[in-house]
Amino acid sequence: MVNRLNHDKQVALLQDMMERMSIRGLHRTKKGNTGPSGRPSRTTILKLLAEAGDTAIEFLGERMRDLPSTLVEADELHAYVAIRGRTLFLRKMRAPPGQGVFWIWVAIDVTSKLVVAWHIGGRGNSDAKVFIDDLKARCPNRLQLTTDSHHPYIEAVEKAWGGEIDYATVKKQDDQQQEVIEEYLGVDQPRPKRRRSKREMAPPEIRSGSPDPSLITTNHIESFFQKFRQNLGRFARKTTLFSKTLINLKRAVALYVFYHNFIRVHMSLATTPAVAAGIDDSEWTWEMFIELIDGNRKKWALEREAAKQQDATSESVIILPAPRSQDMPFTVMFSFLQKYAKIHRSDCKHLRDTPERGSKRGASHKFQCETIEAARNLAYNLVPDEVAECKVCLGSPSRLDTGRGKGGNNLKH
């Protein structure tokens, strides 16, 4: 039986998680199951975040469809995962995959305050296209859309709707822009000491259709971003609460979108945005969301059990049950964990007779081939960028019998 927190403690963790509390802060202040410390471990809290975030992603993907929105504002805000852009600049290095500066694209219904679409990625044309296409798929009605003058928006909206949309852009003057550039990109530029909030520069520019001039603004989405940064500490600047992994960033965003749309009662609406938009009949509570998580836990457990049974009954095609054959003089050793392939002679002392071999680069499996060319083709098909040849058994051209030059490693692919 799994030792899981009861519903009241899970509700308390999720509530405070949406009120700027960090993982370590929850670990220090909340009560867990009976134990030496009486507090929930950070692993327990992260697991709850993972389950709640995955549940929110699945629920929002199904429920947020065919929305009645007609007046929408869109904008983006930045965050970073594991390492800041300024640190990358000072170290003169590229961010590892899944780390660095990311942008959260958000579209909000002005009338109901409903978050209708969101996307996490870069800030270029490809991410703008993904975000705008998702917005179009969720809102079938004709929209009046307002964004800032970021050029990828203009191209993406034109490709998605053509002229079948009322679209306008506003240009904003941000006195803090120089500070953001210096902090996240490492560009030292002089900036005025006086700080002012963003303000729109009139007049707005109409891109297509006939939008209502009195409704062309992005103040509502900017107000949402202000609450977004206030409620989630991982989006605050100069903080230690930043996301350490990209998947947890996506889970936190999805969980907050669910909280904003279905649970949080807005003062101006006196209800939740989902009820105001007409996509739900009543307000949600955290207890109802925990029950939804419990249902998903059972479903995920059944899926894992079915996957284990399938793996046990099906024979993998890459495991070689037979020992090395003298008729197959070449062997390709392939590591699943590191996606790494190495070519040996079948009689090489670095190979073993077992079908699997554990090494520092992960569990490995072996394929046998008749010729060196067949071994190379197989290795490059498995991992095109990480192929090596054993220098002990294949280090001499005479051992290769191919005439490709000294060492036998000058291959092109």
Side-chain angles (χ1 to χ4, degrees), residues 155-169:
E155 293 186 0
V157 171
E158 176 63 27
K159 292 179 180 179
W161 277 286
E164 300 299 323
I165 187 176
D166 301 323
Y167 177 47
T169 60

Side-chain angles (χ1 to χ4, degrees), residues 74-354:
D75 203 354
E76 71 282 347
L77 81 160
H78 59 270
Y80 64 92
V81 175
I83 186 170
R84 295 194 306 165
R86 178 175 176 81
T87 304
L88 295 172
F89 177 82
L90 294 177
R91 296 180 181 177
K92 298 181 179 180
M93 58 179 290
R94 287 190 176 185
Q99 297 182 12
V101 178
F102 287 87
W103 292 83
I104 297 93
W105 306 67
V106 181
I108 189 172
D109 186 334
V110 175
T111 306
S112 63
K113 307 298 187 295
L114 185 76
V115 176
V116 296
W118 64 97
H119 171 69
I120 299 177
R123 209 188 180 199
N125 293 331
S126 59
D127 290 280
K129 184 178 184 304
V130 172
F131 171 66
I132 293 298
D133 289 344
D134 183 50
L135 174 62
K136 181 181 179 182
R138 295 176 186 271
C139 302
N141 299 329
R142 185 182 178 94
L143 295 181
Q144 175 171 335
L145 177 64
T146 305
T147 69
D148 57 20
S149 56
H150 188 41
H151 191 69
Y153 279 120
I154 303 172
E155 293 186 0
V157 171
E158 176 63 27
K159 292 179 180 179
W161 277 286
E164 300 299 323
I165 187 176
D166 301 323
Y167 177 47
T169 60
V170 295
K171 188 174 182 180
K172 287 183 173 290
Q173 177 71 30
D174 186 6
D175 291 340
Q176 297 184 11
Q177 184 178 7
Q178 295 296 111
E179 178 184 1
V180 173
I181 291 176
E182 178 180 333
E183 180 177 357
Y184 286 93
L185 300 182
V187 180
D188 295 328
Q189 297 181 0
R191 65 178 186 275
K193 297 296 182 181
R194 185 179 179 183
R195 296 182 179 181
R196 299 176 181 176
S197 59
K198 288 183 178 181
R199 57 187 186 274
E200 296 178 1
M201 300 176 61
E205 186 171 355
I206 297 177
R207 300 290 179 174
S208 63
S210 55
D212 186 352
S214 63
L215 301 177
I216 300 177
T217 180
T218 58
N219 291 338
H220 299 87
I221 188 67
E222 294 291 352
S223 177
F224 169 78
F225 283 160
Q226 181 183 13
K227 297 180 178 66
F228 196 60
R229 289 191 181 276
Q230 288 176 349
N231 293 340
L232 289 182
R234 66 181 66 221
F235 296 105
R237 298 185 180 96
K238 298 183 179 179
T239 179
T240 59
L241 310 185
F242 57 87
S243 301
K244 308 306 186 293
T245 60
L246 179 59
I247 183 60
N248 279 345
L249 174 65
K250 295 180 178 180
R251 287 165 173 166
V253 171
L255 186 59
Y256 184 82
V257 170
F258 177 88
Y259 165 69
H260 174 88
N261 286 351
F262 293 91
I263 296 180
R264 182 174 180 268
V265 177
H266 293 246
M267 295 180 62
S268 61
L269 302 174
T271 185
T272 62
V275 175
I279 64 173
D280 213 331
D281 298 332
S282 59
E283 303 168 3
W284 279 64
T285 63
W286 283 115
E287 289 78 4
M288 298 167 59
F289 184 64
I290 293 297
E291 293 178 359
L292 187 63
I293 296 176
D294 289 338
N296 279 345
R297 285 168 179 159
K298 296 178 181 179
K299 182 182 69 174
W300 294 332
L302 294 176
E303 291 177 353
R304 288 193 297 266
E305 187 65 26
K308 289 180 181 179
Q309 294 179 359
Q310 183 177 2
D311 292 340
T313 56
S314 61
E315 183 178 355
S316 179
V317 296
I318 58 175
I319 296 179
L320 302 177
R324 297 194 299 271
S325 173
Q326 298 301 327
D327 298 334
M328 300 288 184
F330 297 98
T331 300
V332 178
M333 188 173 65
F334 172 60
S335 172
F336 278 116
L337 183 62
Q338 298 291 337
K339 302 298 183 183
Y340 168 80
K342 192 170 185 179
I343 304 174
H344 297 263
R345 281 191 175 271
S346 296
D347 57 354
C348 180
K349 63 181 181 180
H350 292 283
L351 292 176
R352 301 177 184 174
D353 290 329
T354 55

